[in-house]
Amino acid sequence: SDDLGGGIWWKWNPNQYKNAIANNLFGLLAARLLKHTGNQVYKDWLMKEVNWMLNTGMLNGEYMVEDGLQNDGTPNRNQYYTYNQGVLLAVLTEMYELTCEQRYLSAAEEIALATLKNMTTPNGVLKEMHESTEPSGDGVQFKGIFVRHLSYLNRIAPKDIYRNFFKTSAYSIVINDYDPVSKSLGCFWYGPFHKVQSAANSCALECLIAFEGLQ
């Protein structure tokens, strides 16, 4: 809708909340449909979404992604999640591949570096800013989403800092977050093992697969 200058709603009937994840997933879908079909309508939607997103202030000056917009159009501040970082990073990488414009790649790289700076333990293991997010019903998947998209960025523009990050987090998962009894991986990659959850397994496996792909 045209409310708040554009973008799609997170919920509707009634319409509620224009946020980062709904809009960036929409942009990512448009980018990938464009790749597979060549249909320019998807390019039009992608450009519209990216231009709107970058003008909202949800990507702040520190390259942290605010969760969404308040009713007055100002971003919610200090609500940061790894999946928001990862999906926008992927959209901007797709934009770089599509346009060859360095500004998109530079922004994706800055988001990656901001995440590794602000959302890791002192030892460099990925974590959420709010620990309670990690075992929650949807939050348990967030870190895997970031890792999957950082792996994509690393294929396009590899950096040693990404490689070292994958190694550090993967090693910590195996050493500190693996339960040999249930043969499960937990949601806290820095340990200790929390509980058996299929989502926690799939999330941690994203990191192990990304690291294995570097070998």
Side-chain angles (χ1 to χ4, degrees), residues 21-39:
I21 194 59
N23 283 278
N24 287 324
L25 285 173
F26 177 77
L28 192 58
L29 175 62
R32 292 178 176 174
L33 285 170
L34 175 63
K35 274 185 175 179
H36 285 287
T37 69
N39 189 331

Side-chain angles (χ1 to χ4, degrees), residues 27-99:
L28 192 58
L29 175 62
R32 292 178 176 174
L33 285 170
L34 175 63
K35 274 185 175 179
H36 285 287
T37 69
N39 189 331
Q40 292 302 295
V41 71
Y42 298 123
K43 180 179 180 180
D44 294 342
W45 278 111
L46 172 62
M47 300 301 292
K48 186 183 294 187
E49 186 279 327
V50 170
N51 289 334
W52 176 80
M53 176 70 196
L54 295 180
N55 284 320
T56 61
M58 279 191 277
L59 180 61
N60 69 27
E62 302 299 319
Y63 289 92
M64 297 296 291
V65 181
E66 309 290 352
D67 189 64
L69 299 178
Q70 301 178 81
N71 291 337
D72 64 359
T74 59
N76 287 333
R77 296 298 183 190
N78 302 315
Q79 295 188 44
Y80 306 122
Y81 305 101
T82 54
Y83 80 140
N84 277 336
Q85 301 289 118
V87 178
L88 181 53
L89 177 160
V91 171
L92 293 171
T93 306
E94 293 278 4
M95 286 291 293
Y96 169 70
E97 285 200 281
L98 174 65
T99 66

